[in-house]
Amino acid sequence: MAANSSIFDGIRLPEDLFIVHKLDWFLPSQGMTLSAYAKKMVTQVHHKNPVLLGVSFGGMLVQEMAKHINTRKIIVVSAVKSKKELPKRMVFAKYTKIHKLLPTGLVNNVELLAKYAFGETVTKRLELYEKYLSIRNKQYIDWAIDQIVNWSQETPLPNLTHIQGELDAVFPVANIQNYVEVKKGRHAMIIHRAKWFNEHLPAIILEEGSSI
């Protein structure tokens, strides 16, 4: 939710075909909706008819941005295309508000969490958080989680390509339809499977026709 644009550092698109413009999260104002946030983010897009690519919560964001700007294509990675694809635990959180009890203040203490981490997997994950988390702000994290569980989009947007990892634990493929599957891909595959994206993204971006 708060990853900076360095998660795309491993992506290498042919420079003779594409111009890459990276966007970073900013702190939302009090009471700001995701739609309003997207409208403000759109002001940072400097090219006409762009291809928008977003990862995880960023995948939701680029779909909201596309409602305020003409786009050539939308590509979402490790995300969902509508509220119907959200996992049951997020739907449960929406109606119970249990997500508001999460200890999101710990985002400011990644170093402390790493000190008491149990197991190599957790330690490595925290190292990734420390490297890629750009906004360690409780207000932002609370806002982002609330926007995700309350996302109201009913149907996928046209001209959208969805890329999802087979082993994504945040947005499991069991809830998702019509997507390009990355075998053994996990939620952070934009980092760990950059080679796959470098091999397939150019064709996906240039592909014309129906959405998937």
Side-chain angles (χ1 to χ4, degrees):
M1 296 179 296
N4 56 51
S5 58
S6 63
I7 63 170
F8 298 109
D9 284 353
I11 307 302
R12 298 282 187 272
L13 297 178
E15 295 183 359
D16 59 328
L17 294 176
F18 307 105
I19 297 173
V20 177
H21 180 64
K22 299 177 183 178
L23 303 174
D24 279 301
W25 298 102
F26 57 86
L27 288 176
S29 57
Q30 189 71 31
M32 195 175 208
T33 64
L34 183 58
S35 178
Y37 190 96
K39 192 172 184 179
K40 187 172 181 180
M41 183 67 85
V42 158
T43 63
Q44 298 184 36
V45 177
H46 305 305
H47 300 87
K48 292 183 178 180
N49 208 33
V51 173
L52 298 179
L53 186 153
V55 176
S56 192
F57 182 38
M60 295 180 177
L61 175 63
V62 294
Q63 291 174 74
E64 293 298 325
M65 290 171 65
K67 297 171 185 178
H68 300 290
I69 187 175
N70 292 325
T71 59
R72 186 178 185 275
K73 178 173 287 191
I74 311 159
I75 301 174
V76 300
V77 178
S78 303
V80 294
K81 301 183 293 296
S82 75
K83 67 178 186 179
K84 299 172 185 176
E85 294 185 339
L86 290 171
K88 290 182 179 178
R89 64 181 179 272
M90 293 187 185
V91 177
F92 177 76
K94 174 182 179 179
Y95 291 106
T96 63
K97 309 297 181 185
I98 197 170
H99 60 289
K100 294 184 179 296
L101 301 177
L102 292 171
T104 50
L106 289 175
V107 72
N108 293 310
N109 293 289
V110 175
E111 296 83 359
L112 177 65
L113 289 172
K115 183 178 179 180
Y116 295 102
F118 182 80
E120 184 179 355
T121 300
V122 176
T123 301
K124 287 184 177 180
R125 187 169 294 177
L126 287 171
E127 288 175 355
L128 285 176
Y129 289 165
E130 190 169 10
K131 179 178 180 181
Y132 293 109
L133 245 63
S134 60
I135 302 182
R136 299 186 190 182
N137 178 282
K138 175 176 169 53
Q139 176 192 338
Y140 168 82
I141 298 297
D142 289 341
W143 172 84
I145 294 173
D146 197 57
Q147 297 305 311
I148 292 171
V149 302
N150 288 290
W151 198 41
S152 61
Q153 183 159 288
E154 292 282 351
T155 57
L157 299 182
N159 203 25
L160 182 152
T161 298
H162 187 173
I163 305 172
Q164 196 74 6
E166 176 189 22
L167 303 178
D168 194 309
V170 178
F171 299 116
V173 294
N175 302 303
I176 295 173
Q177 296 181 337
N178 301 324
Y179 62 95
V180 177
E181 183 178 76
V182 179
K183 292 294 184 181
K184 298 183 180 180
R186 299 182 184 274
H187 194 64
M189 64 183 180
I190 194 71
I191 300 169
H192 303 300
R193 300 293 301 277
K195 182 179 179 182
W196 186 95
F197 286 92
N198 289 334
E199 291 175 353
H200 294 89
L201 263 185
I204 290 172
I205 292 172
L206 296 173
E207 183 182 35
E208 299 288 351
S210 60
S211 305
I212 186 171

